[in-house]
């Protein structure tokens, strides 16, 4: 782009077309316009990356504004300040002369100030007999006043982008933790799946995040991390129906093989189903499905479980079951104990029971034993989830509960 010497009311100086455009915009400013200079400065500071200026330039702009006597910028009261370089350097915290001149030029190029040169290039004010300033030569703050609304919009845009960046980064952190918890839970309980391969992919994803990532970097990794989380959840085998005994028996056999360290007490519920065992009169009651309750009711009674859902929230029964797997591992409930609960209660109700146990974790010494006890009662037809949920809802609604 070519530049040329342009004669303007602000003096004769080599100017870019962008600067000429800025002066034309200033000339179009509506008469009588005023604006708070410090609000404009805050907006310019917020939008500094868009404007292409550095912190040093902002320090100099701040110093220039201190030479303007009023808080309100007004064309009627004049918009030219005329400090010497030495005065500017002092108020800009001792910025060296060369640096000062470079950043003053940057402020001009960014269209935040304009030069109004005198014939001899000095900065000064000409006063009348009454001591009032007739004319001044130095730096005009008119562009700041003319662009007040534009700078405010830029500041809002930058703030919105920053919030989006922060939320996306937080979402990646939460998703990363979800994947790590699910992988750990799957490996610890011996679930079937190529977990080493999935964990290797997880490590590769983390390695792709640079030290100073852009929004595009984070969004790309976040998308793939979410896909990985879904893939892990799909690999985890949740029994869909307590009546699918054949497939569950196969799964139970695998869980028992992978849980040799469990005590014989943990496997007691299995002994009731050994081949050839005599049927008891309660078998019919065992096979009756336990009443399911709305997900919203479970979450209202057990709000703590939401912290372990994908992304720190639970929006579906699948999310609740995924969170229950993490909580099961955290509370040291054995895989076989949870599997038995799924058979007796159904996968959704078993997840709801784990949510209830988490809610009362501080009052339960042995979460695994407590779950096994509830499972036995369910097999005898003596357990109902409703009273447990209602009791927790009353407890959470009681005054002072959160303060205790």
């Amino acid at each position: 782009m070519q530049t040329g010497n342009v004669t303007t009311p602000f003096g004769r100086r080599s100017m870019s077309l962008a600067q000429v455009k800025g002066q034309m915009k200033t000339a179009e400013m509506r008469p009588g316009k005023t604006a708070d200079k410090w609000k404009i400065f805050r907006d310019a500071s917020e939008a500094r990356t868009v404007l292409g200026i550095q912190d040093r330039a902002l320090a100099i702009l701040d110093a220039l504004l201190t030479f303007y006597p009023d808080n309100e910028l007004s064309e009627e009261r004049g918009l030219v300040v005329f400090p010497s370089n030495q005065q500017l350097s002092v108020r800009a915290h001792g910025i060296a002369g060369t640096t000062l001149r470079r950043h003053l030029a940057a402020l001009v190029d960014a269209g935040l100030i304009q030069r109004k040169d005198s014939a001899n290039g000095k900065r000064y004010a000409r006063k009348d007999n009454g001591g009032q300033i007739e004319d001044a030569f130095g730096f005009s703050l008119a562009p700041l006043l003319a662009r007040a609304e534009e700078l405010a919009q830029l500041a809002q845009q930058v703030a919105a982008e920053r919030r989006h960046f922060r939320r996306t980064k937080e979402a990646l952190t939460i998703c990363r933790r979800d994947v790590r918890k699910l992988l750990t839970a799957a490996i610890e309980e011996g679930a079937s799946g190529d977990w080493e391969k999935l964990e290797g992919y997880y490590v590769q994803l983390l390695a792709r995040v640079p030290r100073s990532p852009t929004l595009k970097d984070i969004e790309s990794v976040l998308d793939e991390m979410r896909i990985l989380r879904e893939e892990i959840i799909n690999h985890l085998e949740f029994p869909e129906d307590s009546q699918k005994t054949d497939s569950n028996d196969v799964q139970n056999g695998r869980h028992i093989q992978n849980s040799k360290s469990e005590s014989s007490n943990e496997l007691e519920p299995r002994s009731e189903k050994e081949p050839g065992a005599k049927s008891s009169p309660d078998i019919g009651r065992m096979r009756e499905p336990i009443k399911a309750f709305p997900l919203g009711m479970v979450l209202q009674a057990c709000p703590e479980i939401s912290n372990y859902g994908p992304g720190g929230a639970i929006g579906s029964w699948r999310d609740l079951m995924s969170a229950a797997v993490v909580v099961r591992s955290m509370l040291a409930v054995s895989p076989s104990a949870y599997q038995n609960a799924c058979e007796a209660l159904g996968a959704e109700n078993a997840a709801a029971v784990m949510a209830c146990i988490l809610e009362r974790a501080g009052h339960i010494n042995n979460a695994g034993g407590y779950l096994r006890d509830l499972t036995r009662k369910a097999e005898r037809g003596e357990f109902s989830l409703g009273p447990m949920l209602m009791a927790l809802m009353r407890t959470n609604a009681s005054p002072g509960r959160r303060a205790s």
Side-chain angles (χ1 to χ4, degrees):
M1 179 181 294
Q2 294 183 344
T3 60
N5 291 332
V6 180
T7 301
T8 72
F10 302 97
R12 185 178 180 84
R13 177 173 294 273
S14 180
M15 300 177 62
S16 68
L17 293 180
Q19 291 173 2
V20 174
K21 184 178 179 180
Q23 288 192 355
M24 293 174 61
K25 186 170 184 178
T26 301
E28 295 172 355
M29 181 171 56
R30 61 179 173 80
K33 181 178 180 179
T34 63
D36 186 304
K37 65 180 182 181
W38 297 121
K39 182 182 184 307
I40 298 175
F41 176 76
R42 288 192 297 271
D43 291 338
S45 299
E46 187 76 20
R48 64 184 178 277
T49 54
V50 179
L51 296 170
I53 56 176
Q54 301 176 2
D55 291 343
R56 286 288 185 90
L58 287 173
I60 294 170
L61 180 60
D62 175 77
L64 283 172
L65 289 172
T66 64
F67 287 99
Y68 190 81
D70 301 316
N71 283 334
E72 291 282 329
L73 293 180
S74 172
E75 191 172 21
E76 294 179 356
R77 294 191 291 271
L79 291 168
V80 177
V81 292
F82 40 91
S84 66
N85 281 355
Q86 183 179 1
Q87 290 173 317
L88 260 181
S89 178
V90 170
R91 294 202 187 181
H93 310 293
I95 291 179
T98 302
T99 305
L100 180 70
R101 287 189 290 273
R102 184 171 71 252
H103 288 295
L104 280 170
L107 290 172
V108 173
D109 291 339
L112 297 179
I113 61 174
Q114 290 173 346
R115 298 179 187 271
K116 183 179 179 182
D117 293 337
S118 63
N120 59 7
K122 302 293 183 179
R123 301 171 201 152
Y124 65 92
R126 183 183 297 120
K127 299 182 180 179
D128 59 18
N129 294 332
Q132 299 297 318
I133 295 178
E134 284 185 332
D135 204 358
F137 303 93
F139 296 103
S140 172
L141 304 177
L144 287 175
L145 181 57
R147 299 180 64 186
E149 294 82 7
E150 177 193 350
L151 292 173
Q153 291 178 357
L154 286 176
Q156 292 175 7
Q157 176 185 337
V158 170
E161 291 174 353
R162 184 182 295 114
R163 286 194 299 271
H164 180 54
F165 179 84
R166 184 176 64 250
R167 290 170 182 169
T168 305
K169 193 173 182 180
E170 289 173 353
L172 176 58
T173 299
I174 293 172
C175 189
R176 173 180 61 80
R177 290 174 181 171
D178 289 343
V179 171
R180 179 68 273 168
K181 290 175 183 177
L182 288 169
L183 283 171
T184 300
I187 293 170
E188 285 182 355
E189 74 175 56
S192 63
D194 192 350
W195 302 116
E196 290 186 3
K197 179 180 178 181
L198 292 174
E199 186 161 17
Y201 183 53
Y202 166 75
V203 173
Q204 290 177 8
L205 282 178
L206 293 183
R208 282 173 45 193
V209 182
R211 179 168 296 183
S212 299
T214 63
L215 177 61
K216 185 177 180 180
D217 294 330
I218 295 178
E219 286 180 335
S220 175
V221 175
L222 177 58
D223 288 341
E224 295 190 45
M225 191 69 76
R226 282 172 171 162
I227 293 173
L228 176 60
R229 182 175 63 190
E230 284 299 314
E231 185 173 352
I232 293 172
I233 292 174
N234 290 335
H235 273 73
L236 294 173
E237 298 174 353
F238 295 110
E240 297 180 0
D241 195 322
S242 61
Q243 295 180 356
K244 295 182 180 179
T245 55
D246 292 340
S247 61
N248 284 339
D249 285 342
V250 174
Q251 294 173 12
N252 291 337
R254 181 175 62 253
H255 285 310
I256 291 172
Q257 283 183 335
N258 293 329
S259 307
K260 294 180 181 179
S261 61
E262 296 170 356
S263 67
S264 59
N265 185 41
E266 290 180 338
L267 303 179
E268 284 178 4
R270 297 286 304 154
S271 64
E272 299 176 11
K273 299 182 183 179
E274 292 296 330
K278 293 182 180 180
S279 299
S280 69
D282 292 330
I283 289 294
R285 296 174 66 183
M286 276 175 50
R287 296 302 181 187
E288 292 179 4
I290 295 177
K291 178 183 178 183
F293 292 85
L295 177 63
M297 180 179 177
V298 175
L299 297 180
Q300 185 178 355
C302 311
E304 292 295 329
I305 193 70
S306 294
N307 296 325
Y308 300 88
I314 291 177
S316 66
W317 281 105
R318 173 175 282 274
D319 291 346
L320 181 65
M321 291 187 287
S322 174
V325 171
V326 177
V327 170
R328 179 208 64 71
S329 177
M330 184 184 72
L331 296 180
V333 175
S334 68
S336 64
Y338 186 62
Q339 182 68 25
N340 291 340
C342 288
E343 291 176 8
L345 303 168
E348 294 177 350
N349 285 331
V353 169
M354 284 305 307
C356 293
I357 293 176
L358 174 65
E359 199 70 15
R360 298 286 293 169
H363 304 274
I364 299 174
N365 294 328
N366 185 339
Y370 186 76
L371 180 62
R372 285 192 297 272
D373 184 58
L374 293 181
T375 300
R376 294 189 190 101
K377 290 182 178 179
E379 289 173 339
R380 295 193 300 267
E382 298 173 0
F383 172 74
S384 176
L385 182 58
M388 180 181 287
L389 292 174
M390 294 303 297
L392 286 173
M393 290 177 69
R394 286 193 297 269
T395 300
N396 290 337
S398 61
R401 191 252 183 196
R402 295 299 178 189
S404 60

